[in-house]
Amino acid sequence: MRLNIHHETVYHYAAPASYSIQYLRLTPPTVPGQRVLSWKLSAPAPLRPWTDAFGNQAHVLVIDQPHEEIRLMATGEVESDDVLHLLPGAGELHPPSLYLRNSRLTEADDALTGFARSLNIPLQSGRRKGLDDLMHAIRDLVDYQPGITDAATKASEAFGHKAGVCQDHAHIFIACCRSLGIPARYVSGYLCTAKLGEEGMASHAWAEAWIDDESAAGWATFDVANRTQAGEAHVRLAHGLDYLDACPVRGMRKGGRGEALDVLVHVGEASHEPKRQTARETARRRQSEQSQQ
Amino acid sequence: MDAFDEMRGPKGMVAAAYQAIAEWLYATPPDLLDDKRREAEILFRRIGITFNVYGEDAGAERLIPFDIIPRALGPSEWAKLSKGLEQRVRALDAFLSDIYHEQEILKAGKIPVGKVLNNDLYRPEMQGIEVPGGVYVQVAGIDVVRTDPDHFFVLEDNLRTPSGVSYMLEDRAVMMRLFPDLFAKAKVAPIDHYPHELLRTLRSVAPAHAGGDPVVALLTPGPYNSAYFEHAFLAEEMGIELVEGQDLFVQDDAVFMRTTMGPKRVDVIYRRLDDEFIDPLAFHPDSMLGVPGLLSVYRKGGVTLANALGTGVADDKSVYPYVPEMVRFYLGEEPILQNVPTWLLERPDDLAYALDHLSELVVKETQGSGGYGMLVGPKASKQEIEDFRAKIKANPQGYIAQPTLALSTCPTFTDEGIAPRHVDLRPFILHGKHSISIVPGGLTRVALRKGSLVVNSSQGGGTKDTWILEE
């Protein structure tokens, strides 16, 4: 399926910022399952490309003039397969076992570890089926409910709330996998909402876990929020140990009090009307900002 | 415990390296030494060389006690030691280069994969980066101890932001001022060129774009850091800018510092700030000490960080037992310096042994430093041992155990007169693009409390001037 993506992120500041710097992960890679046919990323200042710690195509944006707004625009066309692929680990920057590391947002507490153990997921053959069960078990327990958690919420906290968004579902899944000794990681990307019918999820996140049995080895995807594997409706942008590594925008600024964020994402076939997805929040941290889904 | 005294030797004969010191001690009346000791203290106060003690009142500054009796090593002892240090640093650097590229040592099964890749101090951010000259550790501080005339043991490798070199330099300066005659009698190798050697080392690892005159700056966490004095001291001695994170910014794939003359590009950052705080967009999101965007410039080779990020995985105490294997694996040589035998308490057998022998062992946190969080079994109370037992049982992989070594002693000026006290030695090894250099000396730390084996300044240790005698 050919997907047209239009993703606009606008930061507004009540008082001008004097300097802003952002790491952007807004460039989808061509990997098994998706081919990027065209892509354009634009910003109010020159973008400097770099490859981040996990091999993602990233950019640095620096604005050193007073500014009251930062407008980021990513548009392009991606062709996605409906066949479910295992993403091979070969050729990546890191071996799969790296993704057993703890990370800030995915550290498992006793409740999560106990939950993961209780499912008796086979670690060798049958791992994939076991992880499917894990996905459903998490989704059964943790409601999709925006507004309870935020970008800095840890897996253990969201698990405690029994509520969260796709980011939290992915973090909980990852924390469970790692506590069982299964490499797992966070993927940020887009979802063609027309396909799955869920609201407000055009910017999306899911998890990957490493499968290594008689039949195949590779990264399998688990879109916990939607109880599905990532298929033709999913376009990946970046991966990492958790949200902080893979999020589309991670930035800091000087000045610029009163941050408000507008995000407009449209993913679909060209004929559909764009749908506005808006999230406004005041920056929680001094001089820091994180995009939120 | 009968420890080897470096001046008296096993047979009670004054060692050659200590000849001048022994004569001086014999000839100088004790009250004159006491006067000089007071004078030394006044000098140190005037210099302002202090350190902060963590776990005490915030910002509490203390003077590290200075012992006026030097510690001496002869030329052949130093030759062997420095050769061993050089070998060790080469192997540790080869290890870092390997684990951040091909990971051959992991594939060969010489070190468990998880011990490296899932180590908190391993940095995925370093993967695949080419660092100038292939050098990761430009400045190493390797702690060595002696138990007899012939053996040096490495106690720990400090490969992140090792400190203490300012004490080495100031101790010598004060000694020369107080006892100029003594230096006329002994041929002591000079050390005052250390800042020059350090700067030369740092310049040698500048990115290619910097050309022949790279700009070097020292990045400090600021005045609240325990080693701030040293940061300011070294920057001044080298004639480079002392900067905090807020003085630097990223623009156009480069790092700049704000100066009164406008922005100036920085090529090499001698950073005394921990990895976790260096770029809030990549590491600890709340850090205000670092430089947002620095990682992107670093990964593209636009700036050199000295030491590189992620060197801590090589000085982690649970990786330490594998260093001799690194020497064999990368250099094809036998290690010149020995490791202290180490029990890894993550291993059930090692754990069982250690729990049975806590009263004999030294137990350390795998990622600790500064003498914090350690147990010296023979000196600990029953209660302390039991408290430690509980901590170990709760988190065995967080600890290692080692035999309590009979550390060598040196004559030291104490309240009860001149008496032997245990010492260690931290030489500083500089690894540049083309060479490794070690200024002949190091920081001798002395446990001032009678019988104490803990030399860390935070635990009541003092320092001594360290002499390497020339032929």
Side-chain angles (χ1 to χ4, degrees):
Chain A
M1 179 167 69
R2 285 197 173 194
L3 297 171
N4 269 352
I5 295 163
H6 180 88
H7 179 190
E8 209 174 319
T9 309
V10 189
Y11 295 92
H12 304 277
Y13 306 111
S18 57
Y19 175 93
S20 282
I21 181 163
Q22 296 180 331
Y23 284 172
L24 310 179
R25 292 178 186 86
L26 285 165
T27 310
T30 289
V31 289
Q34 74 180 31
R35 278 168 303 288
V36 180
L37 304 176
S38 66
W39 196 258
K40 188 165 184 291
L41 179 60
S42 60
L47 290 170
R48 304 280 172 170
W50 66 294
T51 305
D52 77 7
F54 299 91
N56 300 305
Q57 175 65 68
H59 291 88
V60 191
L61 170 66
V62 175
I63 304 173
D64 63 352
Q65 314 276 330
H67 53 285
E68 291 173 350
E69 180 190 288
I70 300 175
R71 185 176 295 266
L72 307 169
M73 211 134 70
T75 53
E77 199 178 356
V78 176
E79 186 173 24
S80 62
D81 297 346
D82 57 353
V83 190
L84 297 177
H85 288 272
L86 280 185
L87 198 65
E92 284 199 6
L93 201 51
H94 300 286
S97 51
L98 180 94
Y99 296 93
L100 287 167
R101 288 176 73 78
N102 263 332
S103 75
R104 211 176 299 280
L105 301 180
T106 61
E107 195 150 9
D109 61 1
D110 290 345
L112 272 174
T113 309
F115 169 71
R117 287 223 184 99
S118 71
L119 296 171
N120 293 317
I121 295 167
L123 292 179
Q124 301 306 317
S125 67
R127 184 192 281 189
R128 194 165 181 163
K129 166 73 176 64
L131 292 174
D132 268 339
D133 295 346
L134 172 65
M135 172 170 77
H136 289 289
I138 291 171
R139 193 61 184 79
D140 288 346
L141 216 59
V142 182
D143 208 20
Y144 181 86
Q145 207 180 328
I148 306 284
T149 57
D150 63 27
T153 302
K154 294 179 167 133
S156 52
E157 294 164 351
F159 190 70
H161 295 317
K162 297 198 183 331
V165 295
C166 54
Q167 169 183 322
D168 305 301
H169 288 123
H171 280 158
I172 292 167
F173 182 86
I174 292 164
C176 289
C177 286
R178 291 192 192 141
S179 77
L180 296 170
I182 299 170
R185 64 190 185 183
Y186 185 94
V187 184
S188 82
Y190 301 111
L191 180 68
C192 177
T193 50
K195 267 272 167 191
L196 286 155
E198 288 258 9
E199 290 300 308
M201 287 171 60
S203 261
H204 197 44
W206 56 93
E208 285 181 330
W210 183 251
I211 304 292
D212 191 358
D213 58 26
E214 314 80 43
S215 54
W219 290 102
T221 55
F222 298 87
D223 178 351
V224 183
N226 293 307
R227 300 174 184 268
T228 178
Q229 293 202 284
E232 62 176 346
H234 294 74
V235 174
R236 78 187 284 132
L237 279 171
H239 64 263
L241 292 168
D242 62 26
Y243 166 83
L244 287 170
D245 296 329
C247 58
V249 183
R250 190 166 162 183
M252 265 190 140
R253 64 181 185 277
K254 285 224 161 84
R257 274 179 300 113
E259 174 181 269
L261 175 64
D262 272 324
V263 183
L264 183 150
V265 192
H266 174 248
V267 184
E269 286 151 286
S271 59
H272 292 118
E273 282 297 302
K275 183 179 59 162
R276 185 166 282 268
Q277 179 190 56
T278 305
R280 280 184 180 271
E281 63 157 1
T282 308
R284 280 164 289 103
R285 294 200 193 102
R286 189 169 38 140
Q287 291 198 354
S288 101
E289 68 200 14
Q290 315 255 356
S291 81
Q292 256 225 304
Q293 288 156 23
Chain B
M1 187 162 39
D2 246 2
F4 158 61
D5 187 81
E6 295 189 6
M7 184 165 91
R8 293 282 163 203
K11 295 190 183 110
M13 305 271 289
V14 172
Y18 276 89
Q19 210 63 51
I21 295 169
E23 283 167 17
W24 166 68
L25 287 179
Y26 181 76
T28 314
D31 51 338
L32 181 60
L33 281 179
D34 202 25
D35 286 350
K36 289 288 185 185
R37 190 179 58 79
R38 281 175 221 279
E39 204 177 316
E41 199 173 315
I42 291 163
L43 283 175
F44 275 106
R45 284 207 189 280
R46 200 175 296 154
I47 299 164
I49 187 162
T50 58
F51 75 109
N52 298 331
V53 183
Y54 295 116
E56 292 193 0
D57 295 339
E61 291 199 336
R62 228 205 260 162
L63 204 61
I64 295 191
F66 170 69
D67 182 60
I68 56 170
I69 305 175
R71 191 255 188 103
L73 294 173
S76 62
E77 289 169 312
W78 176 251
K80 181 181 173 190
L81 177 60
S82 57
K83 223 174 132 192
L85 292 168
E86 187 174 329
Q87 179 195 52
R88 193 163 174 109
V89 165
R90 276 191 203 289
L92 288 165
D93 233 65
F95 169 70
L96 288 164
S97 178
D98 182 29
I99 60 166
Y100 290 125
H101 287 92
E102 300 303 321
Q103 305 178 341
E104 298 294 348
I105 199 163
L106 305 182
K107 289 172 189 161
K110 302 285 184 189
I111 302 181
V113 173
K115 189 162 285 300
V116 174
L117 298 188
N118 303 326
N119 192 306
D120 284 346
L121 300 170
Y122 176 87
R123 303 279 171 229
E125 291 77 9
M126 285 303 295
Q127 191 61 41
I129 301 184
E130 299 308 322
V131 294
V135 181
Y136 289 75
V137 180
Q138 288 81 8
V139 185
I142 302 212
D143 294 346
V144 293
V145 295
R146 305 176 76 179
T147 52
D148 60 50
D150 303 317
H151 293 98
F152 287 98
F153 289 90
V154 173
L155 209 51
E156 64 184 53
D157 305 289
N158 295 281
L159 309 176
R160 289 174 253 178
T161 56
S163 61
V165 79
S166 55
Y167 296 107
M168 170 182 94
L169 295 168
E170 292 290 16
D171 286 357
R172 173 63 55 84
V174 166
M175 239 5 239
M176 290 182 77
R177 181 153 166 195
L178 291 178
F179 304 105
D181 297 349
L182 192 50
F183 286 88
K185 288 177 193 137
K187 279 177 77 179
V188 182
I191 54 170
D192 56 353
H193 55 298
Y194 178 85
H196 173 82
E197 284 292 316
L198 175 59
L199 184 58
R200 198 171 65 90
T201 301
L202 295 169
R203 289 166 62 102
S204 78
V205 294
H209 71 77
D213 192 20
V215 175
V216 184
L218 193 156
L219 174 61
T220 175
Y224 294 107
N225 185 269
S226 65
Y228 183 72
F229 170 84
E230 178 160 304
H231 306 161
F233 172 87
L234 287 175
E236 183 169 322
E237 289 288 311
M238 288 191 281
I240 65 172
E241 293 293 332
L242 176 69
V243 295
E244 296 181 33
Q246 63 198 20
D247 302 321
L248 301 177
F249 66 94
V250 164
Q251 175 77 283
D252 302 331
D253 285 340
V255 179
F256 294 88
M257 64 181 162
R258 296 172 222 280
T259 75
T260 50
M261 312 286 284
K264 188 172 183 186
R265 182 165 186 182
V266 180
D267 303 303
V268 181
I269 300 175
Y270 177 39
R271 53 101 181 196
R272 300 289 296 260
L273 176 64
D274 291 344
D275 290 2
E276 271 284 286
F277 300 100
I278 209 137
D279 178 354
L281 300 188
F283 300 100
H284 205 299
D286 297 328
S287 167
M288 301 302 290
L289 301 173
V291 186
L294 181 57
L295 182 70
S296 67
V297 180
Y298 185 53
R299 278 192 63 85
K300 290 177 82 173
V303 69
T304 299
L305 296 178
N307 294 345
L309 299 180
T311 53
V313 65
D315 74 16
D316 182 280
K317 289 186 181 70
S318 74
V319 172
Y320 159 92
Y322 299 92
V323 177
E325 192 54 40
M326 293 176 199
V327 174
R328 293 183 199 105
F329 187 79
Y330 296 112
L331 309 180
E333 298 169 9
E334 275 305 305
I336 297 167
L337 299 178
Q338 298 182 41
N339 257 22
V340 180
T342 301
W343 290 276
L344 292 173
L345 304 196
E346 63 187 4
R347 298 178 179 159
D349 291 353
D350 288 18
L351 176 64
Y353 177 86
L355 290 176
D356 276 352
H357 297 83
L358 280 183
S359 61
E360 301 158 25
L361 299 173
V362 174
V363 184
K364 298 175 180 174
E365 290 176 358
T366 52
Q367 293 181 359
S369 63
Y372 292 96
M374 83 191 245
L375 173 80
V376 181
K379 311 282 173 197
S381 70
K382 272 205 165 106
Q383 188 57 45
E384 284 167 332
I385 289 179
E386 289 317 307
D387 290 351
F388 230 84
R389 186 187 304 279
K391 277 167 48 176
I392 295 167
K393 278 180 166 169
N395 179 30
Q397 64 271 24
Y399 296 91
I400 59 156
Q402 295 173 333
T404 307
L405 294 184
L407 302 191
S408 60
T409 59
C410 288
T412 300
F413 200 90
T414 73
D415 292 342
E416 54 190 78
I418 296 170
R421 289 290 182 269
H422 297 291
V423 293
D424 81 346
L425 175 65
R426 175 180 292 183
F428 295 90
I429 300 95
L430 297 174
H431 193 178
K433 194 170 183 176
H434 307 292
S435 62
I436 290 180
S437 68
I438 311 174
V439 169
L443 175 65
T444 289
R445 296 184 297 179
V446 52
L448 294 173
R449 280 195 289 264
K450 188 175 184 180
S452 171
L453 292 167
V454 185
V455 297
N456 301 80
S457 48
S458 52
Q459 313 292 324
T463 69
K464 283 171 168 288
D465 185 20
T466 307
W467 290 8
I468 308 301
L469 277 296
E470 295 181 317
E471 300 269 7

